[in-house]
Amino acid sequence: MNHKTSKALQGAALLSLLPAAAMAQQRYNIVYIMTDDHTAQMMSCYDKRYVSTPNLDRIAADGVKFTQSYVANSLSGPSRACMLTGKHSHKNGFTHNEHGIFDGSQQTMPKLMQQAGYQTAIVGKWHLVSLPTGFDYWNILPEQGDYYNPAFINMQNDTIREEGYVTNIVTDKAIDWMENKRDKNRPFILFIHQKACHRCWLPELKYLHEYEDKTFPIPETFYDDYAGRQAAQAQEMRIASNHDMDLTYDTKMYDANVQTRLTPNYLNMIGRLSSADRAKYDQFYDSLAIDFRSRHLQGKELAEFKFQRYMRDYAKVLKSLDDNIGRTLDYLKQAGLLENTLVVYTSDQGFYMGEHGWFDKRFMYQESFSTPLVMRLPEGLKARGDISEMVQNIDYAPTFLDIAGAQIPSDIQGESLLPLLRGEHPKNWRKSLYYHFYEYPAEHSVKRHYGVSTADGWKLIHFYRDIDAWELYNLNEDPHELNNLYGKKGTEKVTKRLMKELRRLQKQYDDPIAQ
Ligand code: SGN
Ligand code: CA
């Protein structure tokens, strides 16, 4: 027996003597970071036009960036429910934020991860109304949470106000759990759910002045007239509209003599600041507001002023987020965890940064149907660079179960991404995605719709309920989705193909709308 063989045999014998817990330790940890309303246009590894996000880009640089990453239902609670269950909204039951309560007694990925020997923890935004189930540790924001001195609900169901800026505190809690609260002999999955960058984009005070010198380019479709798109005409998410984007709440042009629709909400939010911090905050925005009121902007000038304010404040909130991504990565490195941990970064959906003249999300159009998805891969997972297969947020649950070596239950509707992370490109990978949005009537007035999007660049959408409107887009020729081809001459064949695919997906996913 040569030296090498005897060593290998010794190794194998040693391995078989290891207790189950130590064996389990060989499995990858998972740190799943999800933000709110962070869109790929505002992440420099996806789009360099607006901001630089060096720490987020680090995740992609040491791993992969998904270029065709989508959600199943572009809204917070539903998106979280899809992620936790690996199922479309009609199956997990949480179809919309308003009036929904997540049924925490159902099968969820965190519960299955626990059964597979993983410790599970979540900190930050939860937004599913019922309290978390399937987590060994949790500390969550009530509903949307607050940016300044936010309250958290602990496992005793006490709501406790904490000092500081929400993005920093959520990260502190995540690091504290990894460092002090978990059992270091077992693998873990930690969900870090940031409130950033949700409306109304309140910056960390140290970044108040950031981006003030920057003028953001106006998107090509900012002055879209929504011709041929009935549902796009009916929405209430226009930056130019003072009803949709509130001058006080959203753009922070507060005037004590002017009461807007959302002034009370705004004053509640900034009222959480200490008086010293409030003075700093007011000093900054008051001078902008006084100048703004003196200019009496109208029409295009007003719309573009609001766009700049929106972009700047969103970018400031993002800056704190990027810092905290850096802190999380640095902690993992310093704790010796980085090489054995899959780090996933995504958002609950994409967002409009002025495209079509909008903010918010909901539509199956690209900006809000897509969501950023990058992963830092542990040693052993070989994929690098861009991955262009179509993926969806129902895929995260089966992926994590696969990584844990657990069985993926047959009722899970997503696909494991593990083959893609290994660098494989399975020939039979899905060629289309299904989407269904339900929250109507509701804020922002986006009509109910479902649709199909295909890997070869076509999209068919049906808006329904108090409307019956179909839209068809060729993304290869019309990436901004301005030209609705539905019913146009020459599109009969492709419409038929997409309609068939849509019905096939509705059947496959067992969506009752199809019956
Ligand atoms: C709040 C916001 C909306 C936003 C929804 C859903 N209004 O209701 O603008 O679309 O959340 O967002 S606000 O006046 O309360 O800010 S989600 O990301 O949580 O789904
Ligand atoms: Ca969101």
Side-chain angles (χ1 to χ4, degrees), residues 35-37 75-76 80 125 198 347-349 351 361:
T35 41
D36 201 353
D37 295 356
L75 203 61
S76 167
R80 288 157 212 272
K125 185 171 175 182
H198 194 270
S347 171
D348 63 344
Q349 13 68 206
F351 215 66
K361 53 258 175 178

Side-chain angles (χ1 to χ4, degrees), residues 11 72 76 138 159 183 185 257 279 305 348 432 434 490 507:
S76 167
W138 50 267
T159 302
D183 168 3
N185 294 314
N257 301 312
F305 170 86
D348 63 344
S432 65
Y434 182 60
K507 217 169 154 206

